[in-house]
């Protein structure tokens, strides 16, 4: 058998962490990342990066696998806390004025170091009719810092990078033995997956030195510290919208809701705005598929929690890759 040639399609957080897992598992493989967007041009760059993977009903094929993915991912990022690559510990509240389910998860309560009910006094600190709340210690991973450091490590370990748009997966057939597909929302068109849809999210980065905790209030409103006196204010969840241009009325809605929650934000300075497309699917797709001669491992459809869950899904994707290679002659 010659050198194993692995292509990783996509350079968002899922592609980079998958490439890293391939290098770890197959140190002598020849690994190439192919993507048309890198770093600041990806969705992963703009994400708030809060580790809260039960939002948006993230699920894998089974509950056990979902749990394993979340646990693996938390452990992975924990190794990078305060190592100058954008991973920090974070404390904050999940609030709900309707049901407890919006802000409580049995699964997360056993993975995160602090996960307890908010007290009456804590609920009263925030204007609104907050009936349920959870106080949490978790992590924030800033894609803008984490991805460059990850890409640097990959290049140092010999991973190659090609900037190109793949129009048809068959283009990669004679170039690689196996391709890990981490193309995010791009998979909808490339693999004709009609169950993958964009969930548009717009955010505002605002100057907010007073914000030291994150607050997720209901399903739409969030304030998440971004470091250096800046916060991410959100958000929107617009299913089926492909447009990433900034919408003024979304900005106004975000500012109104966030300043109602935290009046100190009333005259906050907007630093920049951004909109991205969460690759939303009923369940993340981590599967093997043979397309003509090419072995493909899919790893996409992480919805609104791709930064949080990428390490765990990538570990499982590479496990499937090992299985697929064992069962076939190259
Ligand atoms: C407003 C907002 C806030 C968010 N906040 C959080 C959060 O707090 N926590 C969290 O965990 N997640 C969050 N997310 C979700 C997170 O951003 C996504 O789940 C994650 O970025 C998906 O990563 P990805 O690598 O699959 O996709 P992407 O980052 O979109 O990367 C896809 C890659 O595939 C490449 N590609 C696609 N098609 C092709 C093709 N045909 N040819 C070549 N290359 C191709 C692209 O160039 C790119 O490199 C948020 C998202 C939004 C929009």
């Amino acid at each position: 058998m010659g050198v194993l040639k692995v292509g990783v399609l996509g350079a968002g957080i899922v592609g980079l962490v998958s490439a890293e897992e391939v290098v770890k598992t197959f140190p002598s493989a020849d690994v190439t990342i192919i993507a048309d967007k890198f770093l600041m041009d990806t969705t992963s760059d703009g994400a708030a990066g809060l580790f809260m993977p039960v939002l948006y009903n993230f699920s894998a094929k089974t509950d056990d696998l979902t749990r394993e993915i979340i646990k693996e991912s938390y452990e992975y990022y924990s190794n990078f806390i305060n190592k100058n690559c954008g991973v920090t510990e974070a404390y904050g509240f999940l609030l709900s004025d309707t049901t407890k389910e919006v802000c409580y998860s049995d699964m997360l309560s056993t993975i995160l170091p602090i996960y307890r009910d908010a007290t009456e006094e804590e609920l009263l600190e925030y204007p609104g009719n907050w009936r349920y709340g959870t106080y949490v210690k978790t992590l924030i991973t800033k894609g803008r810092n984490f991805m460059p450091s990850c890409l640097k490590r990959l290049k140092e370990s010999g991973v190659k990078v090609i900037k190109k748009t793949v129009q048809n997966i068959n283009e990669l057939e004679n170039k690689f033995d196996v391709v890990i597909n981490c193309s995010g929302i791009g998979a909808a068109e490339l693999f004709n997956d009609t169950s993958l849809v964009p969930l548009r999210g717009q955010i505002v980065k605002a100057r907010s030195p007073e914000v030291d905790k994150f607050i997720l209030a209901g399903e739409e409103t969030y304030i998440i510290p971004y470091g250096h006196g800046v916060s991410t204010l959100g958000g929107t969840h617009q299913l089926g919208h492909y447009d990433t241009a900034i919408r003024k009325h979304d900005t106004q809605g975000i500012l109104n809701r966030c300043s109602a929650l935290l009046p100190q934000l009333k005259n906050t300075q907007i630093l920049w705005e951004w909109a991205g497309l969460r690759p939303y699917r009923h369940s993340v797709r981590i599967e093997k598929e043979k397309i003509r001669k090419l072995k493909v491992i899919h790893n996409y459809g992480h919805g609104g929690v791709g930064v949080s869950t990428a390490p765990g899904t990538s570990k499982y994707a590479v496990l499937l890759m090992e299985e697929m290679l064992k069962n076939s002659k190259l």
Side-chain angles (χ1 to χ4, degrees):
M1 193 175 95
V3 173
L4 175 68
K5 289 190 166 177
V6 184
V8 176
L9 176 57
I13 189 77
V14 179
L16 297 183
V17 175
S18 292
E20 196 173 54
E21 189 64 30
V22 174
V23 170
K24 201 170 104 194
T25 314
F26 298 91
S28 58
D30 181 347
V31 184
T32 306
I33 298 173
I34 314 108
D36 53 8
K37 291 182 184 149
F38 287 83
L39 303 175
M40 282 176 76
D41 295 326
T42 65
T43 311
S44 305
D45 175 80
L50 185 72
F51 189 95
M52 197 50 67
V54 291
L55 299 175
Y56 311 96
N57 299 324
F58 171 81
S59 67
K61 269 196 172 147
T62 63
D63 283 351
D64 282 351
L65 182 57
T66 307
R67 191 190 146 70
E68 198 50 36
I69 285 171
I70 294 174
K71 194 167 163 287
E72 282 287 346
S73 300
Y74 191 81
E75 283 167 11
Y76 171 92
Y77 285 123
S78 295
N79 292 323
F80 291 101
I81 295 170
N82 298 334
K83 295 219 170 121
N84 277 332
C85 57
V87 184
T88 48
E89 292 179 326
Y91 297 81
F93 290 97
L94 285 79
L95 304 174
S96 168
D97 54 5
T98 51
T99 58
K100 187 165 180 176
E101 285 67 48
V102 174
C103 58
Y104 189 82
S105 149
D106 275 341
M107 194 183 281
L108 267 195
S109 70
T110 61
I111 294 173
L112 298 184
I114 300 178
Y115 204 95
R116 62 157 173 85
D117 287 346
T119 62
E120 288 284 318
E121 294 72 38
E122 285 168 337
L123 290 180
L124 286 171
E125 273 177 36
Y126 299 99
N129 184 25
W130 304 112
R131 295 170 60 204
Y132 306 98
T134 308
Y135 179 75
V136 176
K137 177 181 178 186
T138 182
L139 300 171
I140 292 176
T141 300
K142 277 164 73 172
R144 187 158 296 185
N145 295 134
F146 190 76
M147 290 200 295
S149 70
C150 190
L151 188 58
K152 182 167 175 277
R153 287 196 299 278
L154 289 167
K155 286 183 176 168
E156 282 166 1
S157 58
V159 171
K160 289 172 265 180
V161 166
I162 296 175
K163 188 168 189 334
K164 146 188 173 68
T165 303
V166 174
Q167 309 286 358
N168 187 312
I169 190 66
N170 298 335
E171 289 168 32
L172 305 182
E173 182 172 353
N174 293 316
K175 299 192 171 73
F176 301 104
D177 299 307
V178 55
V179 166
I180 308 191
N181 167 30
C182 312
S183 54
I185 195 64
E189 198 178 328
L190 201 54
F191 294 88
N192 199 20
D193 184 345
T194 52
S195 62
L196 181 67
V197 274
L199 182 58
R200 181 182 180 279
Q202 184 170 317
I203 50 116
V204 173
K205 294 283 186 202
R207 189 163 302 290
S208 53
E210 64 282 5
V211 174
D212 59 352
K213 290 188 215 65
F214 67 83
I215 313 167
L216 307 187
E219 313 227 21
E220 283 279 297
T221 307
Y222 54 85
I223 300 167
I224 301 175
Y226 191 69
H228 303 288
V230 176
S231 289
T232 306
L233 312 184
T236 70
H237 300 90
Q238 294 138 334
L239 199 65
H241 292 222
Y242 266 100
D243 174 18
T244 55
I246 296 303
R247 299 176 185 168
K248 281 210 161 78
H249 59 275
D250 282 345
T251 306
Q252 202 49 57
I254 291 168
L255 292 175
N256 290 348
R257 281 180 280 122
C258 289
S259 57
L261 191 63
L262 216 59
Q264 302 93 301
L265 291 173
K266 245 184 195 120
N267 296 312
T268 189
Q269 182 192 358
I270 297 180
L271 298 173
W272 76 92
E273 295 175 70
W274 178 82
L277 307 179
R278 304 173 180 94
Y280 183 80
R281 207 171 177 275
H282 52 90
S283 166
V284 64
R285 186 173 184 204
I286 322 169
E287 276 172 20
K288 310 178 247 191
E289 187 181 14
K290 187 102 185 267
I291 302 178
R292 303 199 319 189
K293 280 190 294 169
L294 185 66
K295 298 175 188 69
V296 176
I297 310 291
H298 297 289
N299 186 10
Y300 68 85
H302 297 66
V305 293
V307 177
S308 309
T309 55
T313 68
S314 302
K315 188 157 187 177
Y316 184 59
V318 173
L319 208 76
L320 292 187
M321 178 177 135
E322 269 187 291
E323 265 176 40
M324 203 176 190
L325 293 173
K326 255 186 221 150
N327 296 333
S328 70
K329 289 183 206 139
L330 281 175

